[in-house]
């Protein structure tokens, strides 16, 4: 009986050692940035295991990631999206803010609008990285969200992207995403 319990414990530990998460790792602080290629939505915020950035597009400091990447690492990628920027589910457009001052009409509209926000989450394999330039959250159409952490990978994906309307299409293409959802 003792040998069966010991065998069960050893088997369980062997199974668990194959699934490494970011927990209990030495960490470093890096900037975070959101890149949204889906013009039909707004990304309000994104995080990797609870550490993240707002959807404003600029780099923000600081997020925590493991100091060294190891095979098998996973992370929880979470984000909040506004699925209908500027329009409520009933089709009403955002009211104007006279002189930037909120009105009761605007506050009522925003309450309805914020109830429409969607919280999304998925477990992802943590992409391999050596030298890091921070975490770049990339949002592709069809709720396809990815993270780029490695400097060389970020340079490969983002270097020489065209400006304007072609920026999003080319980045979607480079990342292997779909431009149109089914």
């Amino acid at each position: 009986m003792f040998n069966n319990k010991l065998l069960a414990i050893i088997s369980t530990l062997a199974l668990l050692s194959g699934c490494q998460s970011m927990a209990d790792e030495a960490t470093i602080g890096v900037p975070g940035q959101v890149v949204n290629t889906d013009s039909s939505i707004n990304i309000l915020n994104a995080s990797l295991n609870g550490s993240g950035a707002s959807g404003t597009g600029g780099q923000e400091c600081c997020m925590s990631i493991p100091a060294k990447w190891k095979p098998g690492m996973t992370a929880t990628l979470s984000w909040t999206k506004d699925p209908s920027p500027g329009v409520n589910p009933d089709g009403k457009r955002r009211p104007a803010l006279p002189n930037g001052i909120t009105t009761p009409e605007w506050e009522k509209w925003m309450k309805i609008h914020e109830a429409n926000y969607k919280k999304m989450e998925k477990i992802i394999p943590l992409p391999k990285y050596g030298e890091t330039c921070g975490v770049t959250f990339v949002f592709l159409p069809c709720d396809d969200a990815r993270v780029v952490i490695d400097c060389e990978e970020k340079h490969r994906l983002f270097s020489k992207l065209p400006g304007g309307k072609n920026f999003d299409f080319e980045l979607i293409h480079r990342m292997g995403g779909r431009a149109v959802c089914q």
Side-chain angles (χ1 to χ4, degrees), residues 59-149:
Q59 282 196 341
E60 297 177 19
C61 190
C62 281
M63 296 179 53
S64 292
I65 62 169
K68 294 191 186 245
W69 179 86
K70 295 178 187 168
M73 290 179 121
T74 60
T76 301
L77 173 57
S78 306
W79 67 98
T80 305
K81 72 176 187 174
D82 178 349
S84 59
V87 180
N88 273 349
D90 62 4
K92 271 190 161 179
R93 295 217 161 269
R94 179 184 353 249
L97 290 173
N99 298 321
I101 299 170
T102 62
T103 62
E105 178 190 25
W106 186 86
E107 288 175 3
K108 180 180 175 186
W109 186 91
M110 275 307 294
K111 186 174 182 176
I112 294 166
H113 193 74
E114 288 172 350
N116 193 39
Y117 292 171
K118 304 262 190 258
K119 293 188 182 294
M120 313 289 286
E121 183 175 283
K122 67 180 183 176
I123 306 294
I124 61 165
L126 201 61
K128 184 176 182 177
Y129 59 92
E131 182 183 347
T132 179
C133 297
V135 175
T136 302
F137 298 94
V138 182
F139 293 91
L140 306 172
C142 314
D143 291 326
D144 187 3
R146 318 249 179 112
V147 294
V148 178
I149 302 173

Side-chain angles (χ1 to χ4, degrees), residues 9-106:
I9 291 170
I10 291 171
S11 297
T12 301
L13 289 174
L15 285 171
L16 291 175
S17 68
C19 300
Q20 295 180 12
S21 73
M22 288 173 38
D24 301 324
E25 295 286 330
T27 61
I28 57 173
V30 297
Q33 177 180 15
V34 170
V35 175
N36 180 15
T37 67
D38 186 347
S39 61
S40 71
I41 65 168
N42 279 344
I43 300 298
L44 303 170
N45 56 56
S47 67
L48 204 58
N49 283 0
S51 184
S54 71
T56 58
Q59 282 196 341
E60 297 177 19
C61 190
C62 281
M63 296 179 53
S64 292
I65 62 169
K68 294 191 186 245
W69 179 86
K70 295 178 187 168
M73 290 179 121
T74 60
T76 301
L77 173 57
S78 306
W79 67 98
T80 305
K81 72 176 187 174
D82 178 349
S84 59
V87 180
N88 273 349
D90 62 4
K92 271 190 161 179
R93 295 217 161 269
R94 179 184 353 249
L97 290 173
N99 298 321
I101 299 170
T102 62
T103 62
E105 178 190 25
W106 186 86

